[in-house]
Amino acid sequence: MKINEIEALVRPNIRALCPYSTARDEFKGSLGVFLDANESPFDTGFNRYPDPRQSALKERLSAIKCIPAGNIFVGNGSDEAIDLVYRIFCEPGKDSSVIISPSYGMYSVCADINGVAYRSVQLEEDFSLDTGKLLAACDPTTKVIFLCSPNNPTANVFPTEQILDIVDRFPGMVVLDEAYADFSSAGSLRRYIFDHPNLIVLQTLSKAWGLAGLRLGLAFSNEYVMRLFAMVKYPYNVNALSQQAALKALGQDVRVKIEETLKQRAVLAGELESSACVRKVYPSEANFLLVEFDDPDAVYAHLVSDGVIVRNRNKVKGCSGCLRITVGLASENEALMKSLKRYEESNIR
Ligand SMILES: *Cc1c(COP(=O)(O)O)cnc(C)c1O
């Protein structure tokens, strides 16, 4: 797709939008007497509005991600970016999206909230994606396809060539959610935004970076699409405290934590595989394991009674029998294994 073809995908009201211009948009200096935004002059540490463009944070992210700041959107979690995609590209009651299943729930919830129809394409038994089935589910009303790789909750990645083939063949936007890319040997596809104008890559600071409480999600795409995001978002969508704390936290050596999680993932997978109550541990490219049990509901209830909380995915189509287990600290994973051992012993007696 060509960049000028993207414009035709945008909702007419958004294409014609004259966005709100904040006081900080109109004067960008940092020195002076600021009497332009009706802020309180009394210093509380937070009496000034935050930078609506998050310039300092984007510069830092630009260096870390090797992506120019103009190709980065920072939002109130990835969930904001998912919602913005619907609000920018999908006319309620008219346009539609196509999502994969099982996957992250927000793609369909955001569709419902925005009054946009969606179709789900079921992954195969081995959690691979059939490109023919995916594209066949699209019709002329389909503006967006949502992909997630590594996928939540199945923990697998889709091959890079397959994702790029979908991006090349689909005449609409493709959103690739890479919340777990930091844990994957496949890495990120964000560099492909430059020669694929219909590709939007989502990442987050909630997982590998350990900042879920700050609510910081990222989107990468071409500058035109990023300008649309900037126009439609709330002017001050990322608060001052989050911007400051993220700038500081981005200085940490995140590799060490990722390596430790990968090590713990391998240990935990090995232990679960040799557990009598476990049927299967699916291969994982993320910071969690999808694990099939003989009696998942009983295991779930037993774990809860021991104060170990995992996610029960038994009722999710394609995941029957499965619990989703986040890889924790060594001590937390040991608590899980200890509880499972007790479960097995009580079942033998
Ligand atoms: C955890 C997760 C996110 C993160 O969302 P935030 O709003 O950034 O915290 C996004 N996508 C998927 C698939 C996830 O599992």
Side-chain angles (χ1 to χ4, degrees):
M1 258 178 105
K2 299 271 178 340
I3 185 84
N4 58 330
E5 294 171 86
I6 304 294
E7 198 176 328
L9 298 169
V10 177
R11 289 170 65 195
N13 59 318
I14 302 299
R15 230 181 291 154
L17 185 69
C18 178
Y20 180 72
S21 179
T22 70
R24 282 294 80 75
D25 284 313
E26 286 169 18
F27 182 85
K28 297 192 193 76
S30 57
L31 286 178
V33 175
F34 287 97
L35 304 175
D36 59 348
N38 297 348
E39 296 154 335
S40 166
F42 307 106
D43 186 9
T44 61
F46 297 103
N47 53 313
R48 299 294 173 187
Y49 279 103
D51 176 4
R53 297 156 188 255
Q54 307 106 19
S55 302
L57 184 52
K58 279 184 189 163
E59 281 312 314
R60 194 79 193 88
L61 287 164
S62 170
I64 291 168
K65 301 290 182 181
C66 301
I67 297 284
N71 297 92
I72 302 176
F73 164 82
V74 182
N76 186 355
S78 317
D79 295 342
E80 181 183 6
I82 294 166
D83 189 54
L84 283 172
V85 167
Y86 278 109
R87 290 163 67 200
I88 291 168
F89 293 103
C90 298
E91 195 64 28
K94 181 166 162 261
D95 292 330
S96 67
S97 68
V98 164
I99 67 181
I100 56 172
S101 177
S103 192
Y104 187 48
M106 284 305 283
Y107 315 134
S108 56
V109 170
C110 266
D112 286 338
I113 289 169
N114 284 288
V116 173
Y118 66 89
R119 256 181 241 120
S120 299
V121 175
Q122 191 69 26
L123 297 177
E124 305 304 298
E125 194 98 342
D126 62 357
F127 300 140
S128 65
L129 173 62
D130 183 330
T131 301
K133 254 172 50 181
L134 181 79
L135 295 177
C138 302
D139 68 20
T141 71
T142 310
K143 293 288 192 69
V144 189
I145 292 176
F146 282 89
L147 299 176
C148 183
S149 180
N151 187 37
N152 177 5
T154 59
N156 60 315
V157 289
F158 305 116
T160 297
E161 315 79 66
Q162 181 182 23
I163 294 170
L164 293 178
D165 178 49
I166 291 164
V167 175
D168 284 335
R169 290 164 67 183
F170 177 60
M173 302 304 294
V174 176
V175 176
L176 174 63
D177 188 342
E178 291 189 336
Y180 301 99
D182 293 308
F183 303 103
S184 165
S185 51
S188 171
L189 271 65
R190 66 181 179 274
R191 66 179 178 280
Y192 292 102
I193 59 166
F194 299 107
D195 48 0
H196 297 79
N198 59 330
L199 175 63
I200 299 171
V201 173
L202 305 186
Q203 291 187 359
T204 179
L205 301 188
S206 295
K207 307 287 156 67
W209 286 93
L211 302 174
L214 292 185
R215 309 306 305 126
L216 287 161
L218 314 177
F220 306 101
S221 191
N222 64 77
E223 290 188 12
Y224 172 65
V225 168
M226 295 289 86
R227 278 198 299 275
L228 293 170
F229 271 59
M231 270 169 42
V232 177
K233 76 178 180 74
Y234 288 159
Y236 301 110
N237 61 326
V238 180
N239 70 65
L241 199 51
S242 286
Q243 291 191 46
Q244 287 164 19
L247 261 175
K248 206 167 145 214
L250 286 170
Q252 70 180 306
D253 185 4
V254 78
R255 251 353 289 177
V256 177
K257 290 179 183 168
I258 294 169
E259 291 305 328
E260 174 62 14
T261 295
L262 296 185
K263 191 178 125 199
Q264 290 301 326
R265 182 178 77 191
V267 171
L268 186 58
E271 287 176 357
L272 286 165
E273 259 157 15
S274 54
S275 295
C277 61
V278 169
R279 263 196 210 150
K280 179 173 177 137
V281 180
Y282 285 91
S284 173
E285 296 278 343
N287 66 339
F288 59 85
L289 293 167
L290 189 71
V291 185
E292 194 180 326
F293 291 86
D294 288 328
D295 191 348
D297 292 338
V299 172
Y300 178 81
H302 173 86
L303 289 173
V304 168
S305 74
D306 273 348
V308 178
I309 320 303
V310 299
R311 198 91 198 262
N312 192 345
R313 302 282 78 182
N314 184 31
K315 294 206 164 48
V316 175
K317 193 178 168 205
C319 291
S320 71
C322 290
L323 304 181
R324 192 193 70 190
I325 303 173
T326 305
V327 178
L329 298 173
S331 59
E332 295 174 314
N333 304 335
E334 280 158 21
L336 168 87
M337 289 312 302
K338 239 173 102 181
S339 177
L340 274 185
K341 287 275 168 318
R342 274 200 295 273
Y343 170 84
E344 286 170 357
E345 281 159 15
S346 67
N347 271 20
I348 291 164
R349 268 187 251 117

